[in-house]
Amino acid sequence: MNFIKKIGGKVLLWMLSHKVYAILIAAALIGTGYYFYHRTHATAKTTYQTATVQKGMIASYVSGSGNLKVSESATINAEVSGTVSRLSVGVGDKVNKGQFLFYIESDSADTDLAKAYSSYKQALQSVESARTKLLQDQQSLANLSGNSAVLEAASKVEQANQQVESAYSNLLQAESDSNDLYAKYQSDPTSVTQLQLSIAAQKIDAAEAAYDSAKQSLKTAQAAYNQAVNNINTNLEIAKQQVAASEASLEAAEASADSGLASYNQQKENSSKRYVTAPIAGTITEVNIKNGDEVSAGSSSQSSTSSSSTSSSTNSSTSTSSKSSGAILIENFDSLRAIIAINETDIPKVAKDQKATLTVDAIPDLTLTGKVIEIAQKGTNTQNVITYDVTISIDSIDNRLRPEMTVFADITTEVKQDVLYIPSSAVKSDSSGGHYVQVMKNGIPETVSVTIGISNDTDTEITSGLSEGDTVVTQTISAKPTSQSTFRQGGAGVRIPGL
């Protein structure tokens, strides 16, 4: 006790002799006490993040990912055997429909074409010989009969025969012109246009039609002549039989000529397959041949998502973009579409012609628009997850897009205008399956039951329970109070000089 009194007396004596120091120390002790009092008695305060009920447009979406696919492609295969030459394209080149790609050299094709043409010309000569013999027999019969009707009919037959000869001459000329043009094209494909070849073919068709018409007129005249001959006396029977035999010979010769023409046209078609052209416009994505390669004949076809047709040198597929086994692969990048896998729970919401927004993983700054054009009726099971492929057309193709790029799609399944909506984070579910929100009234949140409509990743439609402009709570932030604080005394404490 005496010790405490002694210390207290010293402190008092020091404070009286050092008033300024005493005042500063007292202030420091009061401030420190006030600080630690509030540290240990602070009250937790709850804050709220809010949003305002808006009125406007809200849309619901179905999302998925997939890849870009071309809907039109063509695999070029050789349809005649031979050696590749004049290869004029490489990977990345853009080609037009009908553009020359490469040539297949084949000596056997040239030989077969020449033989077929020679056989056709011989058949035509046989037809003319048979027709001349028939005309002679008909004239002999007419002379024997002395009948004016027969003579008149024979005159008409002669006129018809002259028309046939004229038509035949025109046909030979058209064939000759076409052969000359075709030989020029074989020598240099760039010296003759497809239009010129087409016009030459049309002239042959017209000449053949005129030739057939003239032959039909001749047959009609011959029938009339035969009718006139039938009316004459039986003494002319032998002459009539000779005419009938000549008519049969002419008919057989004409049938042989038709067969020869068909064979010649087939050889021309086979020979033309040596000039391989692009069946579609697009970009060359594969070239699996080079000049000097030996190729074998193979059949192929071209198809698309909407139709299928046979082509002399193409084979296309729209389901995959795997490596082609053909000589050249052409893909039409303008036909790129997005094939999106949609979960089975969302597929009932998807319908044709719904709008879609697309983004491409490889091109972050690109946003595309399109619409649903096809929905798969059969699903795909991947590790017990069922998805359905949805095909989306693209409104505008960006030249940076490539087949197989990863693409993400948001398909708009429903749109509502002039409706109330709030952030989805403000909507809560109760135990009965209903929904409620907290509305701020005079700074205090109050629970209000609501009825919701459509929703998306960010917003939810409110069909009842709220009004435009109401403030709803989107997040509650609760502050935790500090329960205690430890005061450490030591080197950082207050030291009274001299003590």
Side-chain angles (χ1 to χ4, degrees):
M1 180 64 71
N2 290 333
F3 175 76
I4 294 175
K5 287 181 178 181
K6 184 178 179 180
I7 293 298
K10 287 183 178 182
V11 170
L12 179 61
L13 179 61
W14 183 89
M15 292 179 64
L16 291 175
S17 60
H18 298 82
K19 293 180 180 180
V20 175
Y21 284 123
I23 293 171
L24 291 175
I25 291 172
L29 290 173
I30 293 171
T32 301
Y34 179 81
Y35 169 76
F36 282 102
Y37 174 83
H38 280 277
R39 280 285 304 272
T40 56
H41 294 79
T43 303
K45 184 178 181 180
T46 300
T47 59
Y48 302 95
Q49 289 187 359
T50 62
T52 303
V53 178
Q54 303 286 332
K55 187 175 185 179
M57 185 273 289
I58 184 173
S60 59
Y61 306 92
V62 166
S63 301
S65 63
N67 300 93
L68 295 177
K69 306 280 188 181
V70 292
S71 61
E72 185 181 28
S73 64
T75 299
I76 313 301
N77 289 316
E79 291 197 85
V80 294
S81 299
T83 305
V84 175
S85 68
R86 306 184 204 172
L87 179 62
S88 61
V89 293
V91 173
D93 290 348
K94 294 186 181 298
V95 296
N96 297 317
K97 183 177 182 179
Q99 182 174 328
F100 176 79
L101 301 178
F102 63 93
Y103 178 72
I104 301 175
E105 297 178 354
S106 174
D107 294 337
S108 61
D110 291 330
T111 302
D112 292 342
L113 180 62
K115 287 181 177 180
Y117 183 62
S118 177
S119 296
Y120 174 50
K121 288 189 67 175
Q122 290 177 2
L124 289 178
Q125 292 172 357
S126 296
V127 169
E128 291 309 307
S129 297
R131 183 174 290 113
T132 300
K133 178 64 169 57
L134 174 60
L135 184 61
Q136 291 173 350
D137 290 341
Q138 290 172 337
Q139 188 63 48
S140 297
L141 180 59
N143 292 336
L144 287 172
S145 67
N147 186 286
S148 60
V150 173
L151 293 175
E152 182 180 354
S155 175
K156 290 182 179 180
V157 168
E158 183 177 0
Q159 293 175 2
N161 185 66
Q162 291 174 354
Q163 292 175 354
V164 169
E165 290 178 348
S166 177
Y168 168 65
S169 177
N170 292 337
L171 175 59
L172 289 179
Q173 185 62 48
E175 288 285 355
S176 177
D177 293 344
S178 176
N179 289 336
D180 291 343
L181 192 63
Y182 188 72
K184 186 178 180 182
Y185 179 73
Q186 287 181 317
S187 176
D188 183 10
T190 62
S191 66
V192 178
T193 66
Q194 293 293 326
L195 179 60
Q196 289 176 307
L197 292 175
S198 177
I199 291 174
Q202 291 173 4
K203 287 182 177 180
I204 292 176
D205 291 341
E208 289 177 350
Y211 181 55
D212 290 339
S213 178
K215 289 192 294 182
Q216 184 60 43
S217 297
L218 179 58
K219 288 182 179 180
T220 302
Q222 288 171 343
Y225 172 78
N226 291 339
Q227 184 62 42
V229 169
N230 287 333
N231 294 330
I232 67 172
N233 156 343
T234 56
N235 292 332
L236 304 176
E237 189 63 33
I238 296 176
K240 288 166 55 178
Q241 292 175 357
Q242 289 177 340
V243 169
S246 295
E247 288 177 344
S249 296
L250 177 59
E251 187 175 345
E254 288 177 337
S256 178
D258 290 341
S259 177
L261 177 60
S263 177
Y264 172 57
N265 287 337
Q266 182 62 52
Q267 290 301 327
K268 282 178 61 178
E269 182 181 349
N270 292 339
S271 180
S272 68
K273 294 175 182 177
R274 295 180 297 172
Y275 295 86
V276 183
T277 59
I280 63 171
T283 301
I284 303 293
T285 55
E286 288 184 33
V287 177
N288 300 316
I289 56 171
K290 62 183 182 297
N291 288 330
D293 283 353
E294 295 295 327
V295 292
S296 299
S299 61
S300 58
S301 63
Q302 180 188 353
S303 65
S304 66
T305 54
S306 59
S307 63
S308 176
S309 60
T310 300
S311 173
S312 62
S313 58
T314 63
N315 186 5
S316 76
S317 171
T318 58
S319 59
T320 64
S321 295
S322 59
K323 282 289 183 179
S324 163
S325 60
I328 293 177
L329 177 62
I330 303 174
E331 295 183 277
N332 182 3
F333 288 1
D334 289 338
S335 72
L336 279 170
R337 296 173 177 177
I339 309 299
I340 305 298
I342 299 297
N343 191 277
E344 62 179 331
T345 58
D346 292 328
I347 200 66
K349 306 172 188 175
V350 180
K352 290 181 68 174
D353 296 327
Q354 287 176 341
K355 302 295 183 182
T357 301
L358 307 170
T359 56
V360 180
D361 206 23
I363 313 175
D365 63 336
L366 179 64
T367 299
L368 303 167
T369 58
K371 68 176 182 178
V372 175
I373 59 173
E374 185 177 339
I375 303 168
Q377 298 303 304
K378 185 178 181 180
T380 301
N381 187 333
T382 305
Q383 296 181 344
N384 294 325
V385 176
I386 308 300
T387 59
Y388 291 80
D389 283 346
V390 173
T391 303
I392 300 174
S393 64
I394 301 174
D395 294 333
S396 180
I397 302 295
D398 189 280
N399 59 12
R400 293 172 291 177
L401 296 177
R402 295 292 183 273
E404 299 305 320
M405 281 184 170
T406 301
V407 60
F408 301 89
D410 289 327
I411 302 171
T412 303
T413 56
E414 189 173 2
V415 177
K416 289 187 177 182
Q417 303 284 351
D418 296 325
V419 297
L420 299 180
Y421 65 91
I422 60 174
S424 297
S425 58
V427 181
K428 308 293 188 297
S429 300
D430 57 30
S431 59
S432 62
H435 298 88
Y436 68 91
V437 299
Q438 289 182 305
V439 179
M440 296 299 293
K441 294 184 178 180
N442 299 322
I444 301 174
E446 294 185 5
T447 299
V448 175
S449 296
V450 295
T451 304
I452 66 172
I454 65 173
S455 63
N456 53 42
D457 290 340
T458 58
D459 299 312
T460 298
E461 176 194 7
I462 302 298
T463 59
S464 66
L466 295 177
S467 299
E468 183 179 3
D470 286 349
T471 301
V472 296
V473 176
T474 59
Q475 185 178 4
T476 301
I477 303 174
S478 298
K480 295 182 179 180
T482 304
S483 61
Q484 60 180 3
S485 176
T486 303
F487 177 73
R488 296 176 59 88
Q489 187 175 10
V494 178
R495 183 175 182 274
I496 299 175
L499 296 180

